[in-house]
């Protein structure tokens, strides 16, 4: 936009152009300044640690050793099983979550009880994985007098209490962990599929029927081929990348005696390196990092320019799609009831005293407030809650500011530059924190001091910026040309334009803020690797309580309930903005 004199009067020439702008706004000098905070954070706490890990994987005391560390790490006892188990997680779990998510989305669409079903499925998404691990460990307790699932399995198989199936034993622990992960992630798949289904134009189905197509042809040609196949790719990729971060779940849910039987690369890298930069630990981290980035690239290939779904214009058309058949609606309602059972187990266990919760099941003792009284009577939980609230608030505000500044100039890139930027941001988003923990601690030791609250906040900011920039960049780029033109005319300086563009993209801003806050609040891995004695977040506090699981089960359940209230409330209240924000600024 430029100002010139026309017939002696000041005129504004709008040069925003078509929806795909090719010119960078603001000017080059200001662009460099806007990108500098994000570049410094990602360079110092993501890029350099990745390069440092790569260097450590092929050297020893500064001497080149080539593939020696890789051979030693992969030849170590149990590594083959760990890699195979990681691959199984990355293939089987996303397939199950995707299938269930689609079925729930279809069965709960346009029905009176559909909103309640989706609300129930959304709650586990907001829970910390630490709390999910606590919940399912309570359900799968090997003692049938305490574990509801163990009791039911014993009765269904006709076995005695002493011979009940051990759901957390060596043979079934991976299945038990996968069931907990599926329970936690299906709600996200339902939200994505619901957004895709709502954007399918009804005219497509009418066109297929007009050409003589039946129900099968409508399903394939009017739903799957135009949109849902690519939505499946999005959901599958999201869940597959999520399975690479099962660290919290495995660490809390599995007893120490079977942890090696459930280990995946997320846990093995931490066990090998312990937050330092070692040869074999770095080699395993590189293997894991390459696998995760390769999966991200494959996902990007399938979903590029396919998400968000196309905007559907509000035009007169046929009647909306009728609700699903009564049988499917009943199945959806029944599934929602099943999804409630773990939450009931957690809340019911928390409503018992310490002795009752440790000695017998929640169904065989009267409720009480003993566990809550014991927990709230001390100051550890209060300190953890207060620190986590402050940490999540500061990190979220910082990430939002840095991401808005960086997304503003990046949104106007087109062609190879835009695609390369998107791939780099996606790669930075999926870097596992265990892989770069050693080099990050080295950076913190130089800049601040490792194990401090400031260092912990800095790591969270660096890990949260790539996703936030990616979503906001895409949301800005998707704005209609007339909105961008109005923002340019209304803002005489770039910050005024940015402020107006952010207001137009309020759902994306809300989505980034809520997801970042919940991510920091629910974290365990970053806190375990970078926090110190004076910086104990809620996730780390609950994980510490789980060491004496049976004797501490009542207090642990009460702490899990209290620690989950805020993220659940935020996700429930902002669920519509989350879907709209992610759709408007989805992966390209």
């Amino acid at each position: 936009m430029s100002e010139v004199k026309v017939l002696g009067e000041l005129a504004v020439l709008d040069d925003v152009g078509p929806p795909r702008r090719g010119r960078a706004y603001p000017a080059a000098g200001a662009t460099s300044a806007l990108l500098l905070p994000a570049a410094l954070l990602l360079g110092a706490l993501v890029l350099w640690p990745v390069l440092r890990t790569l260097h450590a994987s092929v050297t020893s005391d500064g001497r080149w050793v080539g593939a020696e560390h890789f051979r030693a790490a992969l030849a170590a006892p149990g590594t083959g099983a760990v890699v195979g188990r990681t691959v199984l997680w990355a293939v089987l779990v996303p397939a199950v979550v995707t299938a269930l998510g689609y079925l729930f989305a279809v069965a709960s669409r346009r029905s009176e009880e559909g909103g309640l079903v989706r609300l129930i499925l959304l709650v586990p998404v907001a829970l910390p994985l630490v709390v999910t691990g606590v919940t399912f460990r309570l359900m799968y307790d090997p003692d049938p007098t305490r574990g509801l699932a163990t009791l039911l399995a014993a009765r269904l198989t006709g076995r005695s209490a002493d011979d009940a199936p051990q759901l957390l034993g060596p043979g079934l622990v991976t299945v038990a962990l996968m069931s907990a992960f599926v329970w936690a992630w299906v709600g996200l798949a339902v939200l994505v599929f619901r957004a895709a289904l709502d954007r399918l134009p009804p005219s497509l189905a009418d066109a297929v029927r007009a050409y003589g197509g039946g129900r099968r042809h409508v399903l394939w040609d009017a739903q799957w081929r135009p949109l849902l196949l690519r939505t499946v790719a999005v959901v599958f990729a999201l869940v597959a990348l999520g399975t690479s971060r099962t660290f919290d779940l495995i660490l809390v849910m599995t007893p120490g005696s079977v942890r090696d039987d459930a280990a995946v690369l997320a846990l093995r890298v931490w066990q090998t390196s312990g937050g330092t930069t070692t040869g074999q630990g770095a080699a395993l981290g590189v293997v894991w990092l390459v696998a995760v980035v390769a999966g991200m690239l494959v996902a990007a290939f399938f979903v590029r320019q396919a998400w968000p779904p196309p905007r559907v214009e509000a035009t007169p058309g046929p009647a909306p799609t009728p609700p699903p058949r009564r049988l499917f609606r009943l199945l959806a309602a029944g599934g929602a009831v099943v999804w409630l059972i773990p939450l009931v187990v957690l809340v019911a266990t928390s409503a018992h005293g310490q002795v009752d919760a440790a000695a017998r099941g929640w169904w065989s003792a009267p409720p009480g407030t003993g566990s809550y009284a014991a927990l709230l009577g001390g100051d550890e939980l209060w300190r953890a809650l207060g620190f986590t609230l402050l940490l999540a608030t500061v990190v979220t505000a910082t990430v939002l500011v840095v991401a808005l500044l960086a997304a503003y100039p990046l949104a106007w890139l087109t062609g190879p530059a835009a695609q390369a930027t998107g791939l780099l941001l996606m790669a930075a988003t999926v870097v596992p924190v265990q892989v770069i923990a050693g080099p990050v601690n080295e950076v913190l030791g130089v800049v601040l001091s490792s194990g401090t609250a400031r260092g912990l906040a800095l790591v969270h900011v660096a890990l949260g910026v790539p996703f936030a920039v990616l979503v906001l960049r895409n949301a800005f780029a998707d704005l209609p040309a007339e909105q961008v033109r109005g923002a340019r005319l209304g803002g005489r300086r770039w910050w005024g334009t940015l402020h107006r563009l952010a207001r137009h993209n309020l759902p994306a801003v809300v989505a980034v803020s809520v997801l970042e806050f919940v991510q920091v609040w629910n974290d365990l891995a970053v806190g375990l690797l970078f926090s110190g004695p004076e910086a104990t977040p809620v996730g780390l506090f609950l994980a510490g309580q789980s060491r004496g699981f049976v004797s501490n089960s009542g207090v642990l359940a009460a702490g899990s309930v209290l620690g989950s209230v805020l993220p659940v409330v935020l996700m429930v209240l902002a669920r519509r903005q989350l879907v709209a924000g992610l759709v408007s600024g989805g992966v390209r």
Side-chain angles (χ1 to χ4, degrees), residues 117-505:
V117 170
R118 291 190 297 274
L119 183 62
I120 292 172
L121 296 175
L122 178 65
V123 171
V125 178
L127 295 180
L129 275 180
V130 173
V131 173
T132 301
V134 169
T135 302
F136 276 78
R137 190 165 174 180
L138 289 170
M139 285 185 57
Y140 294 156
D141 192 299
D143 187 345
T145 62
R146 292 193 304 267
L148 178 62
T150 307
L151 175 64
L152 294 176
R155 292 186 176 177
L156 289 174
T157 58
R159 300 185 183 183
S160 64
D162 296 333
D163 195 30
Q166 298 299 297
L167 301 175
L168 292 179
L172 295 175
V173 64
T174 297
V175 176
L177 287 165
M178 288 181 175
S179 67
F181 191 90
V182 168
W183 179 79
W185 277 71
V186 161
L188 178 63
V190 172
L191 289 180
V192 176
F193 276 116
R194 173 65 191 278
L197 288 168
D198 287 347
R199 287 178 176 254
L200 283 172
S203 57
L204 288 177
D206 293 337
V208 173
R209 294 189 189 98
Y211 280 92
R215 180 172 296 175
R216 179 173 60 86
H217 299 93
V218 170
L219 178 65
W220 176 251
D221 292 320
Q223 292 187 7
W224 282 95
R225 286 181 64 184
L227 184 59
L228 290 184
L229 275 177
R230 292 171 178 176
T231 306
V232 166
V234 173
V235 174
F236 193 97
L238 286 173
V239 180
L241 292 174
T243 61
S244 68
R245 300 185 177 183
T246 54
F247 176 82
D248 304 15
L249 194 63
I250 295 175
L251 200 64
V252 173
M253 186 173 163
T254 57
S257 58
V258 299
R259 191 161 292 157
D260 288 341
D261 297 293
V264 294
L265 281 173
L267 187 67
R268 179 57 67 92
V269 169
W270 174 70
Q271 290 174 328
T272 305
S273 61
T276 60
T277 309
T278 62
Q280 292 189 30
L284 276 180
V286 169
V287 171
W288 185 21
L289 179 62
V290 169
V292 171
V293 173
M296 179 273 299
L297 291 175
V298 171
F301 174 78
F302 279 106
V303 305
R304 185 170 62 91
Q305 296 298 336
W307 187 258
R311 291 184 175 89
V312 180
E313 301 296 334
T315 56
T321 305
R325 295 179 178 179
R326 183 175 180 81
L327 175 61
F328 293 111
R329 293 163 59 186
L330 290 175
L331 289 175
V337 171
V338 172
W339 244 249
L340 271 177
I341 292 175
L343 295 175
V344 171
V345 169
L346 178 67
V347 175
T349 304
S350 70
H352 288 81
Q354 291 176 275
V355 176
D356 285 339
R360 46 191 164 173
W362 53 269
W363 60 88
S364 58
T369 59
S371 294
Y372 284 101
L375 188 64
L376 297 175
D379 59 352
E380 285 186 88
L381 177 64
W382 292 113
R383 284 202 306 266
L385 289 172
F387 173 76
T388 308
L389 179 61
L390 178 62
L391 176 69
T393 303
V394 171
V395 168
T396 300
T398 306
V399 167
L400 187 60
V401 171
V402 172
L404 282 170
L405 294 178
Y408 176 53
L410 292 178
W412 319 126
L413 296 178
T414 58
Q419 294 175 7
T421 302
L423 290 176
L424 287 175
L425 289 171
M426 289 179 66
T429 299
V430 301
V431 171
V433 67
Q434 294 94 325
V435 173
I436 59 174
V440 168
N441 272 318
E442 294 174 6
V443 174
L444 293 179
V446 174
V447 178
L448 297 167
S449 57
S450 185
T452 64
R454 291 177 299 167
L456 180 62
L458 197 61
V459 175
H460 273 299
V461 170
L463 295 176
V465 161
F467 176 77
V469 173
L470 185 66
V471 172
L472 293 174
R473 181 205 71 153
N474 293 346
F476 284 164
D478 279 343
L479 281 176
E482 57 272 14
Q483 289 188 351
V484 179
R485 185 174 293 112
R488 291 283 293 161
L489 292 172
R492 298 185 60 85
R493 297 290 186 271
W494 64 263
W495 52 84
T497 304
L498 174 59
H499 179 259
R500 285 169 171 78
L501 292 176
R503 287 172 58 188
H504 290 315
N505 271 306

Side-chain angles (χ1 to χ4, degrees), residues 106-124:
V106 172
S108 62
R109 192 182 181 202
R110 293 193 172 96
S111 61
E112 294 180 358
E113 67 278 5
L116 181 59
V117 170
R118 291 190 297 274
L119 183 62
I120 292 172
L121 296 175
L122 178 65
V123 171

Side-chain angles (χ1 to χ4, degrees), residues 473-548:
R473 181 205 71 153
N474 293 346
F476 284 164
D478 279 343
L479 281 176
E482 57 272 14
Q483 289 188 351
V484 179
R485 185 174 293 112
R488 291 283 293 161
L489 292 172
R492 298 185 60 85
R493 297 290 186 271
W494 64 263
W495 52 84
T497 304
L498 174 59
H499 179 259
R500 285 169 171 78
L501 292 176
R503 287 172 58 188
H504 290 315
N505 271 306
L506 191 58
V509 173
V510 171
V512 166
S513 302
V514 171
L515 289 176
E516 182 61 30
F517 187 96
V518 171
Q519 168 66 25
V520 176
W521 183 280
N522 291 351
D523 171 73
L524 171 62
V526 177
L528 185 65
L529 292 168
F530 302 105
S531 67
E534 301 302 321
T536 304
V538 170
L540 196 57
F541 169 78
L542 294 175
Q545 294 289 318
S546 68
R547 291 170 186 163

Side-chain angles (χ1 to χ4, degrees), residues 534-562:
E534 301 302 321
T536 304
V538 170
L540 196 57
F541 169 78
L542 294 175
Q545 294 289 318
S546 68
R547 291 170 186 163
F549 194 89
V550 174
S551 60
N552 246 4
S553 57
V555 172
L556 185 55
S560 297
V561 171
L562 294 175

